[in-house]
Amino acid sequence: MKFTPSQRDLTLMQVGLQNVDIIWNNLTLASLDGIGVDHCFELSIGIGTGNPGVFRANPHPYPWKPVPVTRAQPVTFTHGFLQPVTFTHGFLQPVTIPSLVSDEPPLLETLGLEAINLFSGAFPVPTARIIHPHLKSLELDSIAEETVVSEILDSLFLPALEEWIHVHSPILPDHMKSFGHLSSCLKIVKITAGELDKIPLLLSHLSSLAVLELRRLELGTREFFTQLLCLRPLSTISSRLQSLTLAFLYYVPWNLMLPMFSLTHWKSLKVKVETGNDRVVNKYGHHDREIVKQLLQLVDGGFDLSVIGDWGKIDVIQKERLSYQRHSNINIGI
């Protein structure tokens, strides 16, 4: 008798679905690397039916039946596995999104997609969003093609999504905003990219955001902080944010950040700045005692700010405080 394994975790690296023979229904974690984006969609659809590859054997294009999903109205599915969800987010007109839903809800909770390629032609293109009612964490990593990123964001409906990790992949604000609107539980966003100028507008559309991490910050920091300061809904965003991490590849633009940190509605926010330097330096690489003084005043005034230097090895604030005291002989509130 043939034994077919029933996996909970699955990692595929440059291996197509047609080469995998497992029971798919119990998957809670899937990591796909170096395969065509159509394989990702086929896996998403097939998990709910236990039969990826069904397109090749089934004359009907979808094993899941279409269900209209309207962002501005409650969403209820007849099989009882998804609680009613209301999507308002300021839309004046309801936007109906065709979606695919199965009689048996997929159990998938974590999905990682890395270095995903263009359509391979092995499976058809989905014409409706694919619903994963239990998926809480999505990671897109090192996807080079904008087309692939947009197809992924436009083809998934993840109403329970809590964490979204976006690493070294194109920042597409329009597609990301639409995707974010459909994820009313989204609390954690981690972005590693250099396209800073596109991020502030995206943040204004993530209404439930509580934790934000931006890493490998380098180019365009001036424009980024200018937009962030001028963004009208900024106070609304920061009132929900609990934690902000900014990791810089080179120097930290303190002259741009200090005005933002001094705003009243940022005071309750926990901010961590990561840098490769073990001291507070300006853009010329020189130690800047005036900036040190301002940072210490912010911390002593109740601002929850930590600066971690030398790639995680040094508490820069503590080091600068000791140095500042030695040079000024002034007690500033240790």
Side-chain angles (χ1 to χ4, degrees):
M1 178 183 293
K2 179 182 176 182
F3 172 74
T4 303
S6 177
Q7 303 291 118
R8 294 185 64 84
D9 298 355
L10 173 69
T11 299
L12 295 182
M13 299 182 65
Q14 299 180 339
V15 176
L17 297 186
Q18 62 269 35
N19 299 312
V20 181
D21 186 13
I22 64 172
I23 295 173
W24 301 85
N25 304 66
N26 295 324
L27 279 181
T28 58
L29 183 152
S31 177
L32 308 180
D33 185 346
I35 61 177
V37 68
D38 48 329
H39 286 259
C40 303
F41 297 146
E42 175 70 1
L43 175 69
S44 292
I45 295 174
I47 284 175
T49 63
N51 184 22
V54 71
F55 290 127
R56 292 176 288 108
N58 190 337
H60 301 290
Y62 290 106
W64 293 18
K65 63 182 182 179
V67 172
V69 178
T70 304
R71 293 186 202 169
Q73 296 178 350
V75 179
T76 307
F77 297 107
T78 57
H79 303 288
F81 62 82
L82 183 62
Q83 296 299 318
V85 180
T86 302
F87 301 102
T88 53
H89 302 295
F91 282 98
L92 296 178
Q93 297 292 334
V95 180
T96 299
I97 303 170
S99 303
L100 298 175
V101 61
S102 169
D103 287 347
E104 296 295 329
L107 301 178
L108 194 65
E109 296 180 356
T110 303
L111 176 62
L113 304 176
E114 182 174 356
I116 302 302
N117 304 317
L118 296 167
F119 276 92
S120 68
F123 303 105
V125 181
T127 58
R129 285 188 182 267
I130 304 164
I131 297 176
H132 281 279
H134 300 300
L135 201 142
K136 297 179 180 179
S137 178
L138 173 69
E139 179 171 359
L140 306 183
D141 189 352
S142 302
I143 301 176
E145 297 288 340
E146 289 189 4
T147 303
V148 174
V149 174
S150 65
E151 287 166 346
I152 293 171
L153 296 177
D154 292 346
S155 298
L156 295 177
F157 175 25
L158 312 178
L161 187 68
E162 296 179 357
E163 180 183 57
W164 177 9
I165 304 172
H166 200 89
V167 180
H168 300 308
S169 301
I171 303 293
L172 307 176
D174 290 339
H175 298 276
M176 296 172 85
K177 284 188 292 184
S178 299
F179 177 76
H181 276 310
L182 291 173
S183 304
S184 59
C185 298
L186 188 60
K187 295 181 177 62
I188 302 171
V189 172
K190 301 177 181 180
I191 298 177
T192 301
E195 300 175 86
L196 291 179
D197 59 322
K198 300 179 180 179
I199 294 177
L201 184 59
L202 170 65
L203 298 182
S204 65
H205 293 270
L206 301 179
S207 60
S208 57
L209 189 61
V211 176
L212 175 64
E213 291 188 10
L214 302 176
R215 298 190 173 276
R216 292 186 65 85
L217 304 181
E218 45 178 326
L219 301 176
T221 51
R222 177 174 295 278
E223 181 66 19
F224 168 69
F225 284 109
T226 300
Q227 289 188 37
L228 203 58
L229 282 168
C230 296
L231 199 62
R232 185 167 297 177
L234 181 60
S235 59
T236 303
I237 300 169
S238 60
S239 67
R240 294 187 176 92
L241 272 180
Q242 300 172 15
S243 173
L244 172 66
T245 299
L246 301 172
F248 291 88
L249 194 58
Y250 301 114
Y251 81 97
V252 179
W254 293 112
N255 60 317
L256 302 175
M257 293 173 59
L258 286 171
M260 181 180 73
F261 292 161
S262 63
L263 297 177
T264 304
H265 49 257
W266 287 99
K267 192 168 183 178
S268 61
L269 184 65
K270 181 177 182 180
V271 177
K272 179 167 73 171
V273 176
E274 298 180 5
T275 172
N277 297 306
D278 63 353
R279 303 291 300 274
V280 173
V281 299
N282 58 27
K283 64 180 179 181
Y284 303 107
H286 301 145
H287 185 236
D288 196 315
R289 287 175 53 80
E290 181 57 33
I291 293 178
V292 169
K293 180 180 178 180
Q294 294 181 58
L295 289 174
L296 293 178
Q297 287 174 344
L298 279 175
V299 173
D300 293 338
F303 193 85
D304 191 351
L305 170 66
S306 62
V307 181
I308 308 301
D310 197 14
W311 311 119
K313 300 176 184 177
I314 301 292
D315 182 338
V316 176
I317 294 290
Q318 181 64 17
K319 181 176 180 178
E320 292 288 10
R321 184 184 292 279
L322 294 174
S323 176
Y324 191 85
Q325 285 185 324
R326 283 197 301 268
H327 285 85
S328 62
N329 293 318
I330 297 176
N331 190 317
I332 54 175
I334 289 182

